[in-house]
Amino acid sequence: MDYMFQSGFLGTRAPFFMDFVMIMVALLPLLVAIAISFARKRNYKLHAFVQTLLFVIAVLVVGYFEYGVRVGGGYEGFVKDSSVSHTYAFYVLIFHIIVSVIGFGIWAHTIVTARADARKHTLPGIYSKSHKKSGICAFIWIVMTAVTGVWVYILLFML
């Protein structure tokens, strides 16, 4: 796993694993929007499959990220070379963590309830309106997770 800590490919101070995670986080809203487009085209099975697949991939990427951070020296190991105030970077990181935990929770809840409702043949159907509202909420939190993740990356590796 030494490759994880070699120089990244985005031209910053970040190691490879951080660049990989950054690309995944930045692309996630676009990929989720594509999955949503399948539902708008009434291709509900593909929508459900892609949403679930993206969620599983996102969880795996978070696990990969967490492993890299722990082995790489934790937050202190990455903030030390940044010119940004460590206190400011820490607060932005905490904000990002809160946003991402809430976002993943809402996204997970949306997927779990949708799968249960689909098994009961109430989605699509009587729960479509509430699922759409939940999906929009999850999407907003996914976008906020991506924005705050990029923000943290910029603070730690570009400034």
Side-chain angles (χ1 to χ4, degrees):
M1 298 279 262
D2 290 337
Y3 76 91
M4 287 180 68
F5 301 100
Q6 293 176 0
S7 294
F9 51 87
L10 294 178
T12 67
R13 292 187 308 273
F16 172 85
F17 86 93
M18 282 288 191
D19 283 358
F20 175 78
V21 170
M22 174 81 266
I23 295 297
M24 297 303 289
V25 166
L27 288 177
L28 189 58
L30 174 65
L31 297 172
V32 171
I34 291 168
I36 292 169
S37 75
F38 297 138
R40 290 188 176 182
K41 294 175 186 170
R42 301 195 187 293
N43 193 341
Y44 301 120
K45 287 186 181 196
L46 183 58
H47 165 72
F49 173 77
V50 173
Q51 283 287 0
T52 302
L53 179 65
L54 288 174
F55 183 82
V56 168
I57 290 170
V59 168
L60 291 173
V61 168
V62 168
Y64 179 68
F65 167 78
E66 286 296 326
Y67 173 78
V69 168
R70 301 295 172 246
V71 172
Y75 168 74
E76 291 297 325
F78 294 107
V79 76
K80 69 179 186 241
D81 294 328
S82 176
S83 64
V84 174
S85 157
H86 292 197
T87 303
Y88 174 68
F90 180 74
Y91 285 129
V92 172
L93 176 64
I94 294 301
F95 180 64
H96 168 66
I97 291 169
I98 292 168
V99 166
S100 12
V101 168
I102 292 170
F104 268 87
I106 292 170
W107 193 14
H109 181 264
T110 301
I111 290 171
V112 168
T113 56
R115 292 178 69 85
D117 292 342
R119 276 193 299 280
K120 292 185 251 174
H121 303 290
T122 55
L123 187 67
I126 61 172
Y127 293 130
S128 291
K129 194 172 189 177
S130 64
H131 176 71
K132 183 177 178 179
K133 281 177 68 175
S134 181
I136 289 168
C137 183
F139 181 72
I140 290 168
W141 282 94
I142 289 167
V143 169
M144 291 183 352
T145 298
V147 169
T148 59
V150 170
W151 186 8
V152 170
Y153 180 90
I154 289 168
L155 292 177
L156 295 182
F157 303 113
M158 296 177 72
L159 300 179

